[in-house]
Amino acid sequence: MDIANLELDVSAMPAEFTLFRGEVSSDEWSTAAFAIAEDHGRLVSLWGNQRGDGTFVLSSVYDIGALIWLDLPLAKGSISYPDISGLFPSANRLQRAVGDLLGLEAAGAADSRPWLNHRMWPADYFPLRKANSGKEEFADDLADDYQFVQVLGDGVHEIAVGPVHAGIIEPGHFRFSVVGEKTLRLEERLGYTHKGVDKAFEQLFAVDGYRLAGRMSGDSTVAYAWSYCMSLENIWNWKLPERATWLRAIALERERIANHLGDLGALGNDAGFAFGLSQFMRLKEDVLRLNKKLFSHRFMMDYICPGGVERDVDADGLAVILAQCAVVEEEVRTLQKIYDDHSGLQDRFMTTGIVTFDVATKLGLTGMAGRASGIIHDVRIDASCAPYSKMDVHVSSRETGDVCARVDVRFDELFESLRLIRNLIGNLPMGAIRTEYVERGPEGSGAGWIEGWRGGIFTALYVDSKGQISRCHVHDPSWQNWPVIEYAVIGDIVPDFPLINKSFNLSYSGHDR
Amino acid sequence: MMWPLIRQIAKVGIVTEKRPVAQEMENPKEIHDEILKILGRALTIREVDAGSCNGCELELNALGNVYYNLEGLGIKFVASPRHADMLLVTGPVARSMSHALAVTNEAMPDPKIVVAVGDCAINGGIFGTSYASLGGVSKALKVDLAIPGCPPEPIVILEGILTAVRYRMRPRTGEK
């Protein structure tokens, strides 16, 4: 889509990728959303902020080939803005979260139930308002009267699952309405792991925020830290040595490999094939152990830091990474063949949890799961920063949108990441791994966008003149993808839910924050 | 179909490692026997994520891989708190999880061991205390042992679990 067609007053922002930003009026907020939806643009994120003068600003970011960041300043005393969830269903929960954290209302929204506030704090307390410190404590004697949508009819009953689940996984609540074994409707309720991260950011200096960003979702720590650092580096025009971005990319691809290995094993296990779990988890453990040796941490937490990376990898280390790539490649090829030839496994994978291209497009499915439904987007290509801009990343996609497709895309992406790592190591520039430490730069705001293993991780960062964070919004692709699971399970039997859920493997913590 | 599968199993062989824990525990059989002596049965654990970033969950899951082979030691994660001897809690306690955590704890039979896993479970860690976070697990439950780390590595968690079993369960007083 051509940015000029939107007829908005936007200007290019300094960023690693193409980013336009501008202020809009309330009408323009709606018309832009309409035009972008018509043209199959995608909503990346939506959040709110309070300015120093007490007024509120609502912000949204769309992907229309380039990123476009719209700010809607509300008049003094106003807390209402036009709803866009009719055009972008994924905005529903984002708008409800803005309501819980900042007390703003999406006028005309069909669903205005609270989302993150489980009545653990009063309905008139808004943590992100500047007058509140975020340290307020409330007695938890408020009644939680969340209204689930009820399905009525002959033989319909409900199964309530969670927040504590059977295995070692994060907490969330799933309400199934079923007839016999068949799922008629699934309604999710999330927010259990909300721990006030947005407010916690506001107590940090910008140069320190990367550690907190790296703990939004532990399995994507590299992608989050990079996305955060990128936003800060953009604001302060902090140039990185080439070697640093190459090392960041090696870490990011290794994170993708580790997660895909774990998921492929778990998916086999959820279909009753324990062999897969033990084989893939063994390979994942090998990757994690090498991470510890070369990047100081099994998940590479705090490896990416503002201005570069914490530690160089020497020639011997690079050789070990290459050797591991060869082993993983060979082993996974063997395992892929076993998975593909296993009729019992394929029977569970195929036609289970289907998300068609149309549904995926309408709901804004994104990232790896999106590609399995034929939505061919990848931040590494769409908005490529160095070193991806100098590489040829092959995107994997499928049309079927079932569990099998999400398994296949994982296999493809794993091999692609191995190829990219070989490439990165082969062309690794010499030089420094970090530019000089900058404690404080000019005030401003900026964005970061990185393709984590789940999908694009977006950061909007606002830094004040003292070098402190005045607002930081980090967005996990799970916001888009959670609602899609409610559609993916329709018509499947309840026992298929764990398999379908695992095939997306979304983040609770990254979503709840 | 079966042959490639069996070939792969045979090729990998048994990779379970000796436990690099305290000297006297090098032999898995000894750990096994000790758990049996103290508990008279396998050790069962109910895990609750009270608000973690999922980093600790990754390491708890890793304990089940073939290198650590947790189940081979007679230690098992169970779904029902009614079947559990130990409650293992990760994360700062998000206020929205405090109720579910308390109910899980109540559902467990006495005597039970409560172990806090990770820096967040100790004092809220990087997330601290706020309108949405109670901080460490000790704000919600009586904690017997805390295992530091962000996240603690599998072997450290395993050491912690064994330590907790030894020191908490030996006097079988049945106290609350």
Side-chain angles (χ1 to χ4, degrees):
Chain A
M1 178 178 197
D2 193 344
I3 191 93
N5 294 350
L6 285 173
E7 295 176 356
L8 295 171
D9 183 19
V10 292
S11 49
M13 291 259 294
E16 296 283 315
F17 44 88
T18 319
L19 171 68
F20 294 94
R21 184 174 176 186
E23 282 199 359
V24 294
S25 69
S26 179
D27 283 346
E28 287 169 329
W29 178 266
S30 303
T31 50
F34 186 77
I36 292 167
E38 280 279 283
D39 210 64
H40 307 299
R42 305 179 313 138
L43 178 68
V44 174
S45 192
L46 183 149
W47 69 97
N49 190 16
Q50 189 174 29
R51 284 182 173 164
D53 62 1
T55 60
F56 297 99
V57 185
L58 210 71
S59 301
S60 59
V61 169
Y62 297 96
D63 176 9
I64 56 167
L67 279 199
I68 173 162
W69 173 346
L70 303 178
D71 291 313
L72 167 61
L74 304 184
K76 204 167 173 53
S78 168
I79 53 161
S80 171
Y81 61 93
D83 164 53
I84 57 166
S85 66
L87 298 163
F88 296 96
S90 61
N92 172 327
R93 292 172 180 179
L94 287 162
Q95 290 180 166
R96 287 158 68 190
V98 172
D100 289 343
L101 299 177
L102 211 52
L104 306 183
E105 294 166 9
D111 187 354
S112 57
R113 292 172 294 173
W115 182 240
L116 296 178
N117 183 356
H118 289 200
R119 290 293 168 258
M120 284 292 138
W121 61 92
D124 61 354
Y125 169 77
F126 304 110
L128 287 186
R129 292 203 176 169
K130 299 296 180 197
N132 295 324
S133 70
K135 296 287 179 194
E136 292 85 355
E137 289 184 24
F138 304 100
D140 57 353
D141 54 358
L142 299 159
D144 178 26
D145 54 355
Y146 191 77
Q147 298 293 316
F148 286 92
V149 176
Q150 291 212 309
V151 177
L152 301 172
D154 236 12
V156 180
H157 70 281
E158 284 188 347
I159 305 174
V161 182
V164 178
H165 297 164
I168 305 170
I169 41 172
E170 299 176 76
H173 183 92
F174 301 109
R175 187 69 61 96
F176 296 90
S177 298
V178 300
V179 167
E181 280 202 308
K182 215 169 191 173
T183 309
L184 292 178
R185 188 175 199 284
L186 162 65
E187 186 172 355
E188 297 156 358
R189 188 181 188 201
L190 304 174
Y192 288 92
T193 69
H194 179 73
K195 39 204 175 268
V197 169
D198 287 34
K199 197 65 180 182
F201 267 119
E202 295 175 15
Q203 275 123 35
L204 296 175
F205 281 99
V207 285
D208 299 327
Y210 73 103
R211 293 192 66 243
L212 184 55
R215 283 159 181 81
M216 294 298 92
S217 184
D219 52 24
S220 305
T221 176
V222 173
Y224 268 103
W226 193 349
S227 178
Y228 176 88
C229 289
M230 184 191 267
S231 64
L232 179 63
E233 288 151 5
N234 282 334
I235 300 171
W236 289 353
N237 194 21
W238 199 344
K239 296 291 176 222
L240 265 61
E242 268 199 312
R243 190 176 177 87
T245 55
W246 258 253
L247 288 171
R248 282 181 176 186
I250 292 174
L252 184 69
E253 297 309 324
R254 285 183 64 80
E255 181 172 80
R256 196 180 321 278
I257 290 169
N259 280 293
H260 283 353
L261 284 171
D263 283 354
L264 286 167
L267 279 158
N269 196 52
D270 277 351
F273 195 47
F275 163 86
L277 184 69
S278 46
Q279 293 289 335
F280 278 107
M281 287 300 275
R282 172 179 67 88
L283 295 174
K284 181 178 181 184
E285 179 73 17
D286 290 340
V287 173
L288 299 184
R289 287 182 178 190
L290 187 57
N291 285 347
K292 169 79 180 177
K293 219 168 129 200
L294 299 177
F295 302 92
S296 310
H297 191 282
R298 281 163 59 91
F299 303 103
M300 300 174 281
M301 276 180 173
D302 307 330
Y303 176 67
I304 291 180
C305 57
V309 293
E310 285 285 358
R311 184 178 161 182
D312 203 357
V313 182
D314 61 15
D316 291 345
L318 296 173
V320 180
I321 293 178
L322 287 175
Q324 185 172 66
C325 286
V327 173
V328 171
E329 169 117 33
E330 194 202 328
E331 296 274 313
V332 176
R333 294 264 179 223
T334 307
L335 294 172
Q336 186 181 23
K337 177 108 183 44
I338 291 174
Y339 267 36
D340 284 350
D341 291 348
H342 196 297
S343 51
L345 198 59
Q346 291 304 317
D347 186 45
R348 289 292 306 279
F349 285 173
M350 289 166 89
T351 71
T352 305
I354 294 176
V355 183
T356 61
F357 175 78
D358 289 342
V359 170
T361 308
K362 178 77 192 150
L363 297 177
L365 188 68
T366 185
M368 184 270 303
R371 293 189 283 277
S373 290
I375 298 182
I376 304 172
H377 281 291
D378 187 317
V379 179
R380 291 176 295 175
I381 298 159
D382 301 348
S384 66
C385 60
Y388 294 108
S389 47
K390 298 181 180 166
M391 302 177 77
D392 181 21
V393 181
H394 303 162
V395 181
S396 162
S397 73
R398 291 291 185 282
E399 310 265 291
T400 44
D402 53 0
V403 172
C404 188
R406 291 183 282 277
V407 168
D408 288 350
V409 168
R410 278 184 173 90
F411 272 118
D412 289 355
E413 292 191 351
L414 205 157
F415 293 129
E416 176 64 4
S417 289
L418 291 169
R419 190 187 70 84
L420 291 174
I421 289 175
R422 290 193 189 99
N423 234 314
L424 287 161
I425 290 178
N427 299 302
L428 188 65
M430 297 306 284
I433 56 157
R434 194 170 178 176
T435 39
E436 209 184 324
Y437 183 74
V438 182
E439 200 175 331
R440 190 188 304 180
E443 71 178 308
S445 46
W449 203 25
I450 286 294
E451 183 78 19
W453 68 269
R454 241 183 226 111
I457 287 169
F458 178 83
T459 305
L461 179 68
Y462 303 69
V463 183
D464 70 13
S465 57
K466 294 193 289 290
Q468 252 188 318
I469 298 172
S470 61
R471 176 88 172 90
C472 181
H473 172 80
V474 281
H475 180 94
D476 196 282
S478 303
W479 278 97
Q480 271 87 354
N481 292 3
W482 270 120
V484 182
I485 293 186
E486 294 182 349
Y487 286 81
V489 299
I490 293 173
D492 277 313
I493 57 173
V494 177
D496 271 335
F497 174 72
L499 182 65
I500 297 169
N501 193 27
K502 192 73 204 177
S503 73
F504 288 88
N505 194 11
L506 303 177
S507 176
Y508 298 71
S509 179
H511 167 282
D512 298 347
R513 294 196 312 269
Chain B
M1 175 59 231
M2 279 312 283
W3 285 116
L5 209 148
I6 291 164
R7 201 178 306 125
Q8 176 72 9
I9 293 173
K11 196 184 87 192
V12 173
I14 294 171
V15 293
T16 305
E17 295 167 332
K18 275 188 164 182
R19 260 133 232 85
V21 286
Q23 209 70 58
E24 78 272 21
M25 297 205 120
E26 255 183 25
N27 184 353
K29 176 103 182 20
E30 284 173 27
I31 300 178
H32 201 279
D33 289 347
E34 186 165 4
I35 290 173
L36 212 59
K37 209 171 101 198
I38 299 169
L39 292 176
R41 59 179 183 274
L43 172 69
T44 51
I45 305 175
R46 173 64 244 198
E47 192 265 355
V48 172
D49 171 348
S52 92
C53 75
N54 79 30
C56 288
E57 277 60 44
L58 295 175
E59 293 298 45
L60 288 167
N61 275 315
L63 268 178
N65 74 35
V66 288
Y67 287 112
Y68 304 106
N69 192 16
L70 192 70
E71 294 209 0
L73 294 176
I75 302 173
K76 207 179 153 191
F77 286 97
V78 292
S80 172
R82 300 251 185 249
H83 303 157
D85 306 302
M86 178 184 284
L87 179 62
L88 214 148
V89 189
T90 66
V93 179
R95 285 181 199 272
S96 302
M97 273 305 289
S98 57
H99 176 67
L101 179 62
V103 172
T104 308
N105 183 54
E106 275 163 28
M108 284 174 58
D110 285 318
K112 55 194 161 200
I113 320 173
V114 178
V115 177
V117 175
D119 291 348
C120 299
I122 292 175
N123 58 10
I126 197 165
F127 303 109
T129 309
S130 71
Y131 69 96
S133 161
L134 283 174
V137 178
S138 61
K139 295 277 184 66
L141 303 174
K142 185 178 166 294
V143 173
D144 294 296
L145 186 95
I147 304 173
C150 182
E153 293 183 19
I155 209 67
V156 178
I157 300 175
L158 181 56
E159 264 183 8
I161 290 173
L162 296 172
T163 308
V165 170
R166 274 200 245 147
Y167 293 98
R168 177 71 172 81
M169 291 302 260
R170 196 158 269 168
R172 301 177 71 172
T173 55
E175 56 156 306
K176 273 218 166 179

